Amino acid sequence: MRGLRSFLFHAFFFSWLTFLLVSFWVFLPFPRDVIKYALRVWSRILVGAMRVLGGMKVEFKGRENLPDGPVLVASKHQSIYDTFIFYLLLDEPQYVLKKELTEIPFWGWYANKCEHVPVDRSAGAKALRDMVAKCIDRLKRGRQVIIFPEGTRTAPGVTLRYHPGVAAIYQQLPEDAVVVPVALNSGSYWGRREFMINPGTITLEFLEPIGPGMDRKQFMGLLEERIEGATSKLLESAVRETGKKPEITP
């Protein structure tokens, strides 16, 4: 049964993704809000398919920790799920992503139209400066910037080094902005590079905000402590539900 559900869900997902890629170009001549709304509808339908075809429900905790206005959302990253779900949770989501993604035909056009923030990892210190400047620009315009501090998807139970980019943004936060850490367990249900999915409830939790004013070391320590501590608790509940044991942090 799980194998059939996995097949049906992935068949739908890739068909639905193809539909996005080949059809959303019609929104490019219109204002940015139009494609943002279209992506929100696309994401909502995908969440419905997760529930109906894959048996994966979604749960959001700590939404009271998410203030209105500019927010730097620093999130754990375990699954494709994390790359679209914030369209349903934030008014003005702006993802920090690899520049290579913005160079892909169709997908890159939509990312640029949404004004997501590309990072050219081959450009060294200049890439960091450019990324920080663009993130601060988005925050000053009252938007919510989503960054994955580890820089890539990780398997459940794995923690990578947190990159300095999130601290560089924090040090230049506008006065009315905060950092909101996010913990999740999406990889226990819809894992990276895995065909089999696991029915259950994916939980995403917004944690206590971190205001400006800390030094770099204090901030990075607190950010990692909150994200990894809460993620470990969510992982425990996922293990009880799915029976899938996590990998070991290298």
Side-chain angles (χ1 to χ4, degrees), residues 64-245:
E64 68 276 7
N65 290 321
L66 188 65
D68 295 330
V71 177
L72 178 63
V73 175
S75 178
K76 191 73 176 175
H77 187 20
Q78 296 181 347
S79 170
I80 293 174
Y81 169 85
D82 319 329
T83 65
F84 67 83
I85 195 61
F86 289 105
Y87 281 107
L88 302 182
L89 299 170
L90 305 174
D91 293 330
E92 290 284 354
Q94 306 270 235
Y95 281 92
V96 177
L97 42 72
K98 294 183 293 185
K99 183 182 178 184
E100 293 86 344
L101 294 175
T102 67
E103 297 171 347
I104 299 173
F106 296 100
W107 176 256
W109 304 343
Y110 310 147
N112 290 326
K113 183 68 176 183
C114 290
E115 299 182 3
H116 293 317
V117 179
V119 180
D120 184 359
R121 295 180 177 179
S122 65
K126 181 180 182 300
L128 180 61
R129 290 194 299 271
D130 290 347
M131 184 269 291
V132 171
K134 289 175 181 176
C135 288
I136 297 302
D137 169 71
R138 307 300 193 268
L139 291 168
K140 286 182 176 178
R141 287 195 263 170
R143 299 179 183 178
Q144 299 88 42
V145 174
I146 304 109
I147 188 169
F148 302 119
E150 293 167 287
T152 189
R153 283 182 293 169
T154 60
V158 172
T159 301
L160 301 181
R161 181 181 66 88
Y162 279 37
H163 289 217
V166 63
I169 301 169
Y170 173 78
Q171 291 177 321
Q172 297 185 39
L173 276 182
E175 291 183 0
D176 57 343
V178 295
V179 177
V180 174
V182 170
L184 45 76
N185 60 8
S186 54
S188 295
Y189 302 91
W190 184 358
R192 58 174 194 158
R193 297 191 292 273
E194 291 184 6
F195 172 75
M196 298 297 287
I197 58 174
N198 295 294
T201 301
I202 296 175
T203 302
L204 182 150
E205 183 175 3
F206 293 101
L207 307 172
E208 182 181 349
I210 302 174
M214 291 184 179
D215 64 35
R216 186 188 192 97
K217 185 175 181 181
Q218 284 179 312
F219 167 72
M220 291 295 280
L222 180 59
L223 180 69
E224 184 170 348
E225 177 186 334
R226 287 191 180 169
I227 293 176
E228 298 304 325
T231 295
S232 294
K233 292 179 181 178
L234 295 178
L235 178 57
E236 290 173 5
S237 65
V239 170
R240 288 193 298 269
E241 189 172 39
T242 66
K244 181 180 178 183
K245 295 183 178 180

